Amino acid sequence: MKNIKKIIIGTITMAVLTANIWVSPAFAALGDQTLKLGMDGQDVTDLQVRLNDLGYNNITVDGVFGETTERAIKELQNAKNIDADGIVGQDTFQILLGDRRTEVSRGSAPGRYKTVLDIKATAYAPGPHDNGQWGNLTYMGTQVRPGVIAVDPRIIPLGSRLYIEFADGNGMYGVAEDTGGAIKGNRIDIAMHSVDKAYDFGVQNVKVYVLS
């Protein structure tokens, strides 16, 4: 009877764990899935925070993709001359999360941050060429995409939101979701769309603001 009970309990435990795994997409990181009206979850919250960073301050950060969020996305899409459908697909993610060319609309570093670091930055791309056995995945299990930053967790905690200021005054926001064997100390690796873009980036000295 004890063995039977153990089997039953083990089966129930596995079912619960499986259920938790299947609901995890609700907690996907921004950029992992297309977002549109009616959706909710952590990635929608991240989207709303990013829109607020870009100056769309009338949005309530509640994790629900409602009409106000959709309207802000359409305004952003119109401003960037892409199809204004209110759906956050790859083109819109590239604008929101950005690569080296994405400028912050305010044109200045954020007012609130925990610390600022002088960092040497390189770049990398998804796939085995740059990311070895991990392919398209970050250390945290999300997709490698523009806006993902590989860090040394001893210096910058994983999950931190970052603002990276380049020498020419332009900047971009990102999230520390990845690590790397060569990323030790005051080093970061910025995810790009392609290996070519990563090569073009080269090595740059930047300031990294760890946001509060």
Side-chain angles (χ1 to χ4, degrees):
M1 287 296 291
K2 287 182 180 180
N3 289 336
I4 293 173
K5 286 181 180 178
K6 287 181 180 179
I7 292 170
I8 293 172
I9 291 170
T11 302
I12 293 171
T13 301
M14 287 301 295
V16 171
L17 290 174
T18 302
N20 285 337
I21 291 171
W22 282 109
V23 300
S24 64
F27 300 97
L30 182 58
D32 283 352
Q33 62 177 333
T34 298
L35 302 177
K36 58 186 177 180
L37 186 67
M39 296 180 70
D40 59 25
Q42 182 60 47
D43 46 357
V44 177
T45 299
D46 292 342
L47 169 65
Q48 291 167 332
V49 169
R50 183 70 184 107
L51 287 168
N52 277 330
D53 289 338
L54 291 171
Y56 296 89
N57 298 319
N58 61 328
I59 297 172
T60 300
V61 179
D62 58 5
V64 178
F65 198 128
E67 293 181 358
T68 303
T69 300
E70 183 186 48
R71 187 159 52 248
I73 290 297
K74 287 182 177 179
E75 290 177 12
L76 177 67
Q77 290 168 332
N78 274 321
K80 297 297 183 178
N81 296 315
I82 64 173
D83 185 23
D85 56 6
I87 297 173
V88 186
Q90 287 306 310
D91 287 343
T92 307
F93 280 130
Q94 185 172 349
I95 293 167
L96 287 164
L97 298 175
D99 58 14
R100 175 63 182 83
R101 298 167 298 172
T102 303
E103 297 183 20
V104 178
S105 60
R106 290 183 300 223
S108 61
R112 293 183 178 180
Y113 54 89
K114 293 180 180 178
T115 187
V116 60
L117 303 166
D118 290 317
I119 294 284
K120 182 172 289 187
T122 51
Y124 74 115
H129 183 278
D130 284 353
N131 209 31
Q133 63 178 329
W134 300 103
N136 294 338
L137 294 179
T138 68
Y139 180 84
M140 296 182 70
T142 58
Q143 293 292 312
V144 176
R145 62 196 186 279
V148 164
I149 312 297
V151 301
D152 182 341
R154 297 171 302 175
I155 307 299
I156 300 173
L158 284 167
S160 298
R161 299 185 185 281
L162 310 174
Y163 176 80
I164 300 167
E165 184 178 69
F166 300 99
D168 61 4
N170 292 333
M172 63 172 285
Y173 284 89
V175 182
E177 293 183 0
D178 209 356
T179 62
I183 307 305
K184 302 298 182 185
N186 282 25
R187 286 282 308 275
I188 62 170
D189 221 1
I190 300 174
M192 299 286 176
H193 275 299
S194 67
V195 173
D196 286 342
K197 285 187 180 296
Y199 278 132
D200 289 343
F201 183 88
V203 181
Q204 300 186 33
N205 293 319
V206 301
K207 287 188 180 297
V208 175
Y209 295 78
V210 181
L211 305 185
S212 53

